[in-house]
Amino acid sequence: MTDDVSGTTAEHEAGEQATDATASVARRLEAILLVVEEPQSLVALATAVGAPVPAVRQAIEGLVEDYDGLAGGPRRGFELREVGGGWRLYVREEHDDLVSEFVNSQAPSRLSQAALETLAVIAYKQPVTRGQVASIRAVNVDSVVRTLLARGLITEAFTDPDTGAIHYGTTEALLVNLGINSLDELPHISPLLDDGADGFEEIVR
């Protein structure tokens, strides 16, 4: 009888430890998911939180149920969604207009120079990823892209199924703001670039 009790106690303690371990992985995942800009694969998330892929998969499933209100708690205003083979937090679709209105009310009426430059790159190079824009501008563009998305000037065109990278394009709202009917009416960029006829000494210096 004593052996049976001991065995039951040991199994109970092992179960509690496993539950605690899953909860710890889930908390670390939440911290990472709050700051990522692109969907992250299970392998990338496992590497980030230092946990096995099966444990991360289990924790992800638990978070999805939690946020969707299936674990006994309230349904959250955000969701954990799998897109292009990766996971990322998103505002629930029914709250898109609310969030957009709030962000616009907080933002200045005019776009910053950084936002204008980023918008120009997207307009001419679309569809283009955030990383490609950052490479062209040689600066981090995460916050600027969020601003342009909130203003409705750009949109997430599609997600690369292999890399999970989101490709961005411009919207009809941009055309309206520019007073043009299509992107074909944008000025050709070549005449606006320096042809190097005067040399590049100033640039080198």
Side-chain angles (χ1 to χ4, degrees), residues 29 33 39-61 80 82 84-87:
L29 282 172
L33 290 166
Q40 302 294 308
S41 68
L42 288 176
V43 173
L45 290 171
T47 301
V49 302
V53 171
V56 170
R57 182 182 293 110
Q58 183 180 357
I60 286 287
E61 292 173 354
L80 181 54
E82 185 177 18
W87 293 89

Side-chain angles (χ1 to χ4, degrees), residues 4-184:
D4 291 341
V5 173
S6 299
T8 302
T9 301
E11 291 175 0
H12 178 70
E13 291 178 349
E16 287 185 339
Q17 291 175 355
T19 300
D20 290 343
T22 300
S24 176
V25 172
R27 287 193 296 270
R28 299 202 299 275
L29 282 172
E30 284 183 310
I32 295 297
L33 290 166
L34 278 172
V35 298
V36 298
E37 296 292 340
E38 305 285 356
Q40 302 294 308
S41 68
L42 288 176
V43 173
L45 290 171
T47 301
V49 302
V53 171
V56 170
R57 182 182 293 110
Q58 183 180 357
I60 286 287
E61 292 173 354
L63 289 174
V64 170
E65 291 186 359
D66 182 17
Y67 300 157
D68 288 349
L70 302 178
R75 186 169 183 264
R76 311 295 180 85
F78 56 89
E79 63 181 331
L80 181 54
R81 190 192 313 163
E82 185 177 18
V83 176
W87 293 89
R88 179 186 170 205
L89 292 173
Y90 290 87
V91 172
R92 290 196 185 275
E93 186 176 357
E94 61 262 33
H95 301 309
D96 281 348
D97 291 342
L98 173 68
V99 172
S100 179
E101 182 179 348
F102 171 77
V103 172
N104 285 333
S105 69
Q106 302 298 307
S109 57
R110 298 179 64 119
L111 291 175
S112 66
Q113 183 66 30
L116 289 172
E117 292 175 2
T118 299
L119 183 57
V121 172
I122 295 174
Y124 280 99
K125 300 288 289 184
Q126 63 184 305
V128 62
T129 67
R130 184 187 282 107
Q132 290 170 334
V133 176
S135 177
I136 292 171
R137 294 201 55 231
V139 295
N140 186 294
V141 297
D142 292 349
S143 62
V144 176
V145 168
R146 284 195 295 269
T147 297
L148 295 175
L149 281 169
R151 294 289 190 91
L153 298 175
I154 65 172
T155 186
E156 296 181 359
F158 64 90
T159 300
D160 189 304
D162 296 322
T163 65
I166 297 173
H167 287 67
Y168 297 92
T170 54
T171 65
E172 291 293 324
L174 175 65
L175 300 181
V176 171
N177 277 275
L178 293 178
I180 59 178
N181 294 313
S182 74
L183 293 173
D184 294 335

Side-chain angles (χ1 to χ4, degrees), residues 193-205:
L193 300 177
D194 191 334
D195 62 6
D198 296 326
F200 297 96
E201 289 82 0
E202 293 297 326
I203 298 177
V204 173
R205 286 202 295 262

